[in-house]
Amino acid sequence: MLNSFTVLAVFALGGFAGASGCLCAYGDPCWPDAATFTQLESQVSQPLVYPIPTASACYPASNPSGNCSDVIQNWTDGNWRSSMPGSMEAPNFESFVFKNGTISACYLNTSLGVPCEQGNVPVIGVDARTPTDIQAAVNFAIQYNLKLVVKNTGHDFLGRSAARGAFVVWTHNMKNITYDATFVPQGVPLNETYEAVTLGAGVQWHEAYDAVNQYGRMMVGGISVGGSIGAAGGWLQGGGHSVLSPTYGLGVDNAIEITVVTPTGEYLTVNDYQYSDLFWALRGGGGGTYGVVTSVTYRTYESLPVAFYIFQANVTNTTTLKGLAARMLQLQTNLTDDGWGGSGYLSNISMSFVAIAPNMSTEAANASIQPWTEYWQSQGISSMTELYSVPSWYEWYTSMFNTSGQNGVNVMVTNRLLSRDTVANQSKEVAEILIGCEGGFIMIAGGKVSQIDPESAGVNPAWRNAVVEAACFVSWDEGASLTAIEWLISQLKAWITSLHDVAPNDGAYFNEGSLFEIDWQTTFFGSHYSQLKAIKDKYDPHRLFVVAEGVGSEEWNKELTCRL
């Protein structure tokens, strides 16, 4: 197996295939032959994987090559999709658009008469089960200068875990979970202990929540139908918001220690006491940029009951609806500071949202939402509202999200982290945008998030002054023409401009951002960008890791294949 010394020697001797400034992809003359990949396979614990598009089993349409019925039945199931190395949660990122406008894709709807093609799905990779597997994969990618991507679940609104003709490190099967009530990070004083859980890179949130609940604990984590989002990968590296963030902070605020294989093939354990700069960058500086995370150790908290509030109203009067939405945005400062987390949605005739607050009594919950109640009642709005006390956060989560669906939709999103100043003074303008895009507001900031030092982690400092995230999206049916998709993208760009103009200093959440954000370095990373870039250059001297809108990607062409 190649070690770090061997890899560095290759560079020293002038054997680096990247001297031309371009990465090697499948189909290029530099692509390794079958015998070379066989050598790699002998160095890892599992056979190499050959990812295929999600709908491949349904082709050829006249005589499907696999179980097409299974594909149709599970198409929207995030856990099913994440179990396959070639499947993305948003199928549009499995597709590739050539410069002439031709789309290479594999559609579920075989009646479209379009051939199933590889598109943007990587062609070969390592099914990583151990850090040693990842080291072998990274060293191989360095030696042959391969276009490399890292994939766990494929939950990715920027398409960073797929690339045409790429070599993939697939971490999905690294499922180790270890609970330790007296966890001591490496290099710290023995009297510093945590009730913590260590999650392997492939653990998904439903698995993490199930595990810590057995110990009477809960933790800050992602929310999605089925809990299919990865718990120790891109979610954390982008910042990691949670419905529990207003009470306990972001994911980056709860990570104690991280293990990572760096772009030079080293396997490091990083925390506040050793390799602290890399630990800082991995907490919010963006996934697929500094190495391959193999595990994360998180704080856990005592399992607590939650107050659960539901609001639903149909409002046909446009002026009244805008006022209702604006008032809700104004009240976000109070609600999130009180500990409420949740999400809401707007259309041109309705508004709804759900929110929870840990360890809040019914009496305290009623008092907290009273200003909101007084407002919508004063407007003569007829609504459905409910307030419950649920015995535990885990019981609330499983009752709400223990199902399938939500995924398998072509979608692009954008968001803005609305500051306290914005919700106080620009709420009407934001409300109009959200109603126009039929978007939403996500209550995952304010409170504890605002109390933490902005310099404690590499995440965008805009988080520390934010109280709510505003989001818009576009979606389309598969088989849509490039003209139709481009029209939708132009609409998305218009909303991006509108949100930027209303809140130019507020930034955005990297994991739910767009490929078309304005000044993405500042929007996603804020004042931390230059420091993140320096850390990136230090740990990735060969520029092996590059992703869309990731730190350092401005040095590459649009396809992220050749340096400028």
Side-chain angles (χ1 to χ4, degrees):
M1 179 182 298
L2 287 171
N3 57 30
S4 297
F5 176 80
T6 304
V7 172
L8 292 174
V10 170
F11 283 89
L13 294 173
F16 178 39
S20 66
C22 293
L23 298 169
C24 185
Y26 177 74
D28 293 338
C30 54
W31 188 255
D33 59 21
T36 304
F37 278 110
T38 298
Q39 292 176 2
L40 170 63
E41 191 167 59
S42 70
Q43 300 168 6
V44 295
S45 65
Q46 304 295 315
L48 298 182
V49 292
Y50 298 85
I52 56 177
T54 311
S56 295
C58 296
Y59 288 82
S62 58
N63 184 24
S65 60
N67 189 345
C68 186
S69 297
D70 186 56
V71 174
I72 295 170
Q73 179 180 348
N74 293 292
W75 186 257
T76 62
D77 187 332
N79 284 301
W80 176 80
R81 297 183 75 91
S82 66
S83 69
M84 297 174 289
S87 183
M88 298 289 286
E89 300 300 321
N92 47 295
F93 291 113
E94 295 180 28
S95 301
F96 182 83
V97 180
F98 292 95
K99 291 181 179 179
N100 66 2
T102 304
I103 299 175
S104 175
C106 187
Y107 299 130
L108 177 63
N109 183 0
T110 59
S111 68
L112 293 170
V114 179
C116 177
E117 297 181 341
Q118 190 76 6
N120 211 41
V121 177
V123 296
I124 191 170
V126 169
D127 177 4
R129 306 296 176 99
T130 67
T132 302
D133 287 341
I134 297 176
Q135 287 178 292
V138 168
N139 288 338
F140 185 82
I142 293 174
Q143 183 180 12
Y144 294 100
N145 191 38
L146 302 183
K147 174 62 180 174
L148 174 70
V149 295
V150 183
K151 180 181 182 292
N152 176 14
T153 66
H155 273 279
D156 191 350
F157 292 120
L158 292 169
R160 293 164 294 176
S161 49
R164 183 171 177 80
F167 174 70
V168 61
V169 177
W170 188 40
T171 63
H172 178 69
N173 290 308
M174 300 181 73
K175 295 287 190 180
N176 289 339
I177 300 177
T178 305
Y179 177 77
D180 187 346
T182 56
F183 178 81
V184 180
Q186 287 190 17
V188 307
L190 292 179
N191 61 350
E192 184 177 325
T193 63
Y194 301 87
E195 292 192 56
V197 64
T198 300
L199 307 177
V203 174
Q204 293 165 275
W205 279 118
H206 71 95
E207 297 165 328
Y209 296 148
D210 290 346
V212 298
N213 183 64
Q214 297 177 18
Y215 298 93
R217 310 292 289 179
M218 64 182 188
M219 61 187 299
V220 173
I223 295 291
S224 66
V225 173
S228 58
I229 295 173
W235 177 85
L236 172 73
Q237 293 172 69
H241 73 51
S242 169
V243 71
L244 293 175
S245 290
T247 301
Y248 300 108
L250 298 169
V252 298
D253 304 323
N254 286 275
I256 303 167
E257 190 167 87
I258 300 172
T259 59
V260 57
V261 174
T262 71
T264 56
E266 297 175 276
Y267 177 52
L268 304 179
T269 298
V270 304
N271 54 43
D272 277 330
Y273 295 84
Q274 54 188 36
Y275 306 104
S276 58
D277 57 345
L278 183 55
F279 182 58
W280 184 87
L282 286 169
R283 291 177 298 135
T289 301
Y290 309 94
V292 184
V293 167
T294 62
S295 73
V296 179
T297 302
Y298 291 103
R299 292 176 174 84
T300 67
Y301 298 91
E302 177 188 359
S303 182
L304 296 172
V306 298
F308 178 31
Y309 179 68
I310 303 173
F311 176 89
Q312 167 69 47
N314 293 325
V315 185
T316 56
N317 183 287
T318 302
T319 301
T320 303
L321 179 61
K322 289 180 181 179
L324 186 71
R327 184 56 179 156
M328 170 47 61
L329 292 172
Q330 290 171 352
L331 289 172
Q332 287 298 304
T333 300
N334 305 86
L335 293 172
T336 56
D337 282 353
D338 284 349
W340 289 99
S343 60
Y345 302 91
L346 290 156
S347 74
N348 57 2
I349 60 169
S350 68
M351 173 179 168
S352 62
F353 72 92
V354 297
I356 64 166
N359 206 30
M360 183 181 287
S361 67
T362 301
E363 293 76 17
N366 271 316
S368 179
I369 63 174
Q370 186 61 29
W372 167 246
T373 302
E374 290 176 353
Y375 177 82
W376 62 259
Q377 287 181 343
S378 72
Q379 300 301 302
I381 293 171
S382 177
S383 70
M384 185 279 289
T385 62
E386 296 182 81
L387 179 62
Y388 301 97
S389 179
V390 184
S392 71
W393 180 88
Y394 181 76
E395 183 175 322
W396 171 81
Y397 169 78
T398 54
S399 67
M400 291 287 292
F401 295 98
N402 188 23
T403 183
S404 62
Q406 183 178 359
N407 300 286
V409 177
N410 297 308
V411 64
M412 288 186 176
V413 302
T414 185
N415 76 90
R416 205 75 185 164
L417 298 173
L418 305 181
S419 67
R420 294 169 186 266
D421 179 71
T422 296
V423 296
N425 299 302
Q426 305 291 126
S427 60
K428 292 181 180 178
E429 291 83 353
V430 175
E432 185 170 358
I433 296 168
L434 293 182
I435 292 170
C437 74
E438 296 196 336
F441 55 92
I442 311 172
M443 305 165 64
I444 35 70
K448 183 67 173 180
V449 177
S450 299
Q451 299 167 17
I452 295 173
D453 180 1
E455 302 308 314
S456 63
V459 72
N460 191 342
W463 274 103
R464 305 310 178 183
N465 195 37
V467 292
V468 65
E469 177 190 5
C472 294
F473 68 93
V474 293
S475 63
W476 59 92
D477 294 333
E478 63 177 6
S481 68
L482 183 59
T483 300
I485 296 172
E486 287 179 339
W487 184 89
L488 289 168
I489 289 175
S490 69
Q491 180 62 78
L492 184 68
K493 289 179 178 178
W495 292 327
I496 290 171
T497 299
S498 295
L499 286 170
H500 179 273
D501 290 347
V502 168
N505 301 315
D506 288 0
Y509 178 36
F510 188 38
N511 287 343
E512 293 169 359
S514 167
L515 295 168
F516 312 106
E517 300 291 347
I518 298 168
D519 186 14
W520 61 264
Q521 291 97 330
T522 301
T523 294
F524 290 141
F525 304 106
S527 60
H528 286 165
Y529 189 81
S530 60
Q531 188 174 352
L532 291 168
K533 180 64 167 56
I535 296 170
K536 162 73 172 172
D537 292 344
K538 173 183 175 180
Y539 286 94
D540 188 9
H542 317 311
R543 308 297 193 271
L544 178 66
F545 287 80
V546 56
V547 296
E549 316 293 38
V551 171
S553 64
E554 70 274 14
E555 298 174 347
W556 295 77
N557 62 2
K558 182 179 179 181
E559 294 77 21
L560 302 179
T561 54
C562 294
R563 288 194 293 276
L564 300 174

